[in-house]
Amino acid sequence: MAIEIKMPALSPTMEEGTLAKWLVKEGDVVKSGDILAEIETDKATMEFEAVDEGTVGKLLVAEGTENVKVGTVIATIGGEGEEASAPPPAAKAAEPVAAAAPAVAKPAPAKAAVSAADPEIPAGTPMVSTTVREALRDAMAEEMRKDDRVFVMGEEVAEYQGAYKVTQGLLDEFGGRRVIDTPITEYGFAGIGSGAAMGGLKPIIEFMTFNFAMQAIDHIINSAAKTNYMSGGQMRCPIVFRGPNGAASRVGAQHSQNYAPWYASVPGLVVIAPYDAADAKGLLKAAIRSEDPVVFLENELVYGKSFDVPAMDDFVLPIGKARTVRPGKDVTIVTYSIGVQYSLEAARVLAEEGIDAEVIDLRTLRPLDKAAVLESLSRTNRMVVAEEGWPTCSIASEIIAICMTEGFDDLDAPVLRVCDEDVPLPYAANLEKLALIDASRIVEAVRKVCYR
Amino acid sequence: MAQPARPRAAKKPAPASAKASPEASAKSGTGSTGETALPQGGVAGDDASFALRSLQQAHANNKRFDASDEQLLEFYEQMLLIRRFEEKAGQLYGLGLIGGFCHLYIGQEAVAVGLQSALTTGKDSVITGYRDHGHMLAYGIDPNVIMAELTGRGAGISRGKGGSMHMFSTEHRFFGGHGIVGAQVSLGTGLAFGHKYSGDGGVCMAYFGDGAANQGQVYESFNMAALWKLPIIFVIENNGYAMGTKVSRGSAETAFYRRGTGFRIPGMDVNGMDVLEVRQAAEVALEYVRGGNGPVLLEVKTYRYRGHSMSDPAKYRSREEVQEMRENHDPIDGAKAELLKRGVTEDKLKEIEKAIRARVGQSADFAESSPEPELHELYTDILVEQY
Ligand SMILES: Cc1ncc(C[n+]2csc(CCOP(=O)(O)OP(=O)(O)O)c2C)c(N)n1
Ligand SMILES: [Mg+2]
């Protein structure tokens, strides 16, 4: 059976080219690797080589022919010991596949599995006052005890006990095999972590702060986030990238940034940004168990704050679920991370003015709990989004888009956002204060949407 | 049907010449002295003209800069200014007048002073990381505007918007002041690219730490700097630690001056606790770089007496270790002893000390008393132009 040799596409955009020169003639015996022809594209002249063995049958397109469409049969090669057969009559340019494909309806995305609600905390469970820092450490330690594949890697995580002391005690308990100090090479160890995850381990990669993850963002996005999809579900990258995110205190522009909107824009990532200690613990445990790459955004300013954490053997929270931290009926404040603190302060002030604000902590930013946002909006009909981060292309922007497209009929006022000022964070104390969100700005925005 | 044929580039590359072109032609006079005397490690040994260690040899042959009394006195004053300035900054931090991260240069003074005294201000360029106060003072930048930046005042060199880690003086061609570890190495290579591109005869001096020396972009920059023979001196200030990580815990090759070998960048191992040795190393390096031979890598061995930043308890090393460096290797004490030996009087040195204390005190007063930036400054300097 003769093999048809077709005009090849030599670049992703090539549609046609010039058959500059034949380097074989009819009757020649060719083997794999022999050069058949030179083909000119608009960018370069390329050699075109045989992959099959056989005898050249007909050369169907003459040397020097221009505008030969990709896919046109240009020659035939007969199989071994076989006479090259006559060409099929009237070889014509193959139809571009895309044009021939029938229009298909856009498929609905696969239904997400219904995610569980927060676990019931059995009556009588003691609550233990725990700092966010300790809660994070406890989450890692519990998962490491259970699963030998889990390890922690990052700068100063072992001997120094963590630059912010989040990994305190882990080296003592788990040893140097599983608690690993790295050099200052974020791109390298994010890649090593991602590779280890692909190979079957469950790394927790600590960035000293997420500002330094910028060195490594290629691996987070191009390596970790896209692998499962690109491999058709074959290859996973179950990794947690964690560390403090957002403004700390007077550390200047290069060390003060909220990356939540950056990561939350990437399909293939899970993005979590807890506020209190119980959420930090329950969600970090869930993140470590997840088969997906998780970006886990902490906040240095709340590391030292104490909150109640239920003393349960295995306190795990569902990813993708917002939490109502304060129920209310007049207005909804949607927020996350340290924004929760300011929003609760604002709600207290508003209560004195007779405005009953509901505060929703998103907790997970991707996938975002739209249902919780829209449900609250359907009751309060007014919304403010509070976010410690820049306003443009923010999580707040996303919430507003959701309300516009899916909650329009429930809105009694435009949704307002309270974000940081749209500037790099300054060092000077007075300017820094001016640049960051606070409770009073949230109060003001709430008054506006309530027309007070 | 299977893809019948696979394209490939038409033009086969010309066979690579068997040997890299010898660099001998580019060597300056100081260059080729000791090469044959050195044991060949086998790496560069197959190319006798490749004199990676020749600069080291030149430095070893003549270690200390032949400073006049006036020069040595000047170095001493500059180092003392940095020391007293940093001590004052530490105090102001303790009082809450300085916030955020503040990285002191105490112990490392001879590095910036020795190296930068060999540069031509306004022609050559300097760039460093966040531990930048000393490099600015060594370049003669007014202590008032540095201290006022530390306290976040409108009169600060970055108008209070940058802080300790982000200070710049384009007038002095001092390009910062960078908070992301390793970034300054690529940026410095870009400054060197600019020197070569415009033919202004300048050389860039890019400082970074032993920790920063492990960042990938450092080696990307090494390769391009050597490939394009850019006028840059890479200075690794090896102070023994990157935050709490001792060099041996973070680096497979702890002889940092060798880190350029794979890129054919000659390295020099320099004692950073003696300002005259540092200065002499700068002379050797500058002659090579100004000769159009491409980059040099200096590893300057030094020590920081204080914690990494103000919030570092520095439990990763012993008191004795710090004490040993302070007592036996202090660069300022060393210069002082030498000055006395040369016949400079105790009184003269006391006078200098007094003047410097007064100068630093004045900068602290200025930094405390000058006002915070005006609020509208929050929105200035984001973009240059209006759109
Ligand atoms: C990309 C990046 N990673 C981490 C940090 C946090 N960090 C700041 S300084 C430092 C140690 C650097 O040590 P070294 O390069 O030896 O310089 P030294 O502080 O000793 O002068 C670290 C890890 C950072 N600023 N940037
Ligand atoms: Mg160091």
Side-chain angles (χ1 to χ4, degrees), chain B residues 113-164:
Chain B
V113 170
L115 292 178
Q116 273 161 247
S117 62
L119 298 182
T120 311
T121 313
K123 172 179 163 194
D124 298 317
S125 55
V126 171
I127 190 165
T128 186
Y130 42 82
R131 198 180 299 285
D132 56 355
H133 315 165
H135 305 88
M136 303 187 73
L137 292 167
Y139 239 8
I141 297 171
D142 179 7
N144 282 17
V145 297
I146 304 175
M147 199 66 99
E149 189 59 37
L150 300 188
T151 54
R153 304 307 165 101
I157 195 162
S158 302
R159 301 198 206 187
K161 290 155 100 167
S164 160

Side-chain angles (χ1 to χ4, degrees), chain B residues 209-211 237 239-242:
Chain B
D210 46 279
E237 290 194 67
N239 60 10
Y241 296 86

Side-chain angles (χ1 to χ4, degrees), chain A residues 3-6 8-10 33 35-36 45-52 156 159-160 163-164 181-187 208 211-212 215 249-255 421-431 434-435, chain B residues 1 3-12 97-101 149-152 160-166 178-181 211-212 214-215 217 242-245 249-250 311-313 316 372-375 377-379 382:
Chain A
I3 295 162
E4 292 178 347
I5 306 294
K6 291 181 179 169
L10 302 172
I35 299 174
L36 300 176
T45 300
M46 312 278 279
E47 286 177 353
F48 179 46
E49 58 180 55
V51 289
D52 297 293
E156 310 286 2
E159 293 201 7
Y160 199 79
Y164 297 102
D181 277 329
T182 63
I184 311 171
T185 50
E186 290 84 4
Y187 186 37
M208 194 174 281
N211 303 289
F212 314 141
Q215 304 283 315
S249 175
R250 302 205 52 207
V251 292
Q254 289 185 332
H255 285 71
E421 291 300 304
D422 199 12
V423 303
L425 202 68
Y427 166 74
N430 63 333
L431 298 186
L434 196 62
Chain B
M1 196 195 77
Q3 168 99 350
R6 130 181 92 85
R8 106 180 164 197
K11 300 285 172 280
K12 293 198 181 93
L97 284 157
I98 298 174
F101 293 134
E149 189 59 37
L150 300 188
T151 54
K161 290 155 100 167
S164 160
M165 299 188 286
H166 309 303
H178 298 269
I180 300 302
V181 167
N214 292 319
Q215 284 285 34
Q217 62 179 313
M243 218 171 250
T245 303
R249 292 205 306 115
S311 51
D312 171 23
Y316 42 81
E372 289 190 302
E374 290 182 33
L375 295 183
E377 287 284 0
L378 182 60
Y379 307 100
I382 296 163

Side-chain angles (χ1 to χ4, degrees), chain B residues 57-335:
Chain B
Q57 193 59 45
H59 182 50
N61 292 345
N62 176 22
K63 269 218 151 117
R64 302 187 83 223
F65 182 68
D66 186 17
S68 66
D69 291 355
E70 292 73 49
Q71 276 177 315
L72 185 58
L73 206 57
E74 198 185 317
F75 297 162
Y76 173 74
E77 284 192 55
Q78 285 182 321
M79 291 194 292
L80 198 60
L81 174 65
I82 296 173
R83 175 80 47 103
R84 298 291 173 254
F85 181 95
E86 294 290 66
E87 287 166 352
K88 180 60 86 179
Q91 285 170 10
L92 297 188
Y93 195 95
L95 295 172
L97 284 157
I98 298 174
F101 293 134
C102 183
H103 310 84
L104 302 181
Y105 200 59
I106 297 177
Q108 303 183 208
E109 297 90 345
V111 183
V113 170
L115 292 178
Q116 273 161 247
S117 62
L119 298 182
T120 311
T121 313
K123 172 179 163 194
D124 298 317
S125 55
V126 171
I127 190 165
T128 186
Y130 42 82
R131 198 180 299 285
D132 56 355
H133 315 165
H135 305 88
M136 303 187 73
L137 292 167
Y139 239 8
I141 297 171
D142 179 7
N144 282 17
V145 297
I146 304 175
M147 199 66 99
E149 189 59 37
L150 300 188
T151 54
R153 304 307 165 101
I157 195 162
S158 302
R159 301 198 206 187
K161 290 155 100 167
S164 160
M165 299 188 286
H166 309 303
M167 296 193 274
F168 313 83
S169 171
T170 50
E171 178 196 340
H172 292 81
R173 302 188 69 74
F174 174 78
F175 289 89
H178 298 269
I180 300 302
V181 167
Q184 73 272 30
V185 182
S186 305
L187 298 174
T189 307
L191 292 168
F193 182 92
H195 287 306
K196 181 162 186 183
Y197 189 89
S198 60
D200 63 12
V203 167
C204 176
M205 195 162 266
Y207 294 88
F208 51 108
D210 46 279
N214 292 319
Q215 284 285 34
Q217 62 179 313
V218 170
Y219 298 92
E220 300 177 22
S221 302
F222 278 8
N223 185 44
M224 286 183 271
L227 186 65
W228 299 331
K229 292 205 183 322
L230 301 181
I232 181 164
I233 299 176
F234 295 110
V235 182
I236 299 182
E237 290 194 67
N238 179 359
N239 60 10
Y241 296 86
M243 218 171 250
T245 303
K246 202 182 175 73
V247 158
S248 56
R249 292 205 306 115
S251 288
E253 172 58 276
T254 56
F256 289 96
Y257 62 87
R258 290 189 193 143
R259 292 272 187 112
T261 309
F263 306 94
R264 309 177 76 87
I265 299 177
M268 295 167 71
D269 180 10
V270 183
N271 170 17
M273 302 308 271
D274 179 342
V275 70
L276 296 184
E277 286 192 37
V278 176
R279 172 60 189 261
Q280 187 57 28
E283 297 288 321
V284 174
L286 276 168
E287 184 181 345
Y288 180 87
V289 175
R290 289 210 204 276
N293 301 304
V296 171
L297 173 59
L298 299 186
E299 175 188 355
V300 188
K301 292 219 176 68
T302 181
Y303 199 80
R304 72 165 152 73
Y305 297 174
R306 298 292 185 92
H308 167 73
S309 66
M310 296 306 296
S311 51
D312 171 23
K315 288 196 184 129
Y316 42 81
R317 61 183 185 188
S318 68
R319 220 167 241 295
E320 291 72 46
E321 181 184 303
V322 184
Q323 220 40 40
E324 206 278 324
M325 290 305 291
R326 273 179 178 275
E327 274 164 24
N328 302 321
H329 304 280
D330 187 79
I332 298 176
D333 287 353

Side-chain angles (χ1 to χ4, degrees), chain A residues 398-449:
Chain A
E398 186 62 24
I399 298 287
I400 292 174
I402 289 167
C403 292
M404 281 290 283
T405 47
E406 294 175 55
F408 192 73
D409 292 339
D410 287 328
L411 284 168
D412 284 351
V415 180
L416 292 185
R417 60 183 170 189
V418 180
C419 295
D420 295 346
E421 291 300 304
D422 199 12
V423 303
L425 202 68
Y427 166 74
N430 63 333
L431 298 186
E432 189 191 61
K433 194 162 178 297
L434 196 62
L436 296 171
I437 64 164
D438 56 25
S440 70
R441 283 171 236 205
I442 300 170
V443 168
E444 219 172 285
V446 167
R447 285 190 196 126
K448 266 196 200 141
V449 300

Side-chain angles (χ1 to χ4, degrees), chain B residues 48-61:
Chain B
S49 63
F50 178 44
L52 264 183
R53 296 280 289 151
S54 63
L55 300 188
Q56 178 70 65
Q57 193 59 45
H59 182 50
N61 292 345

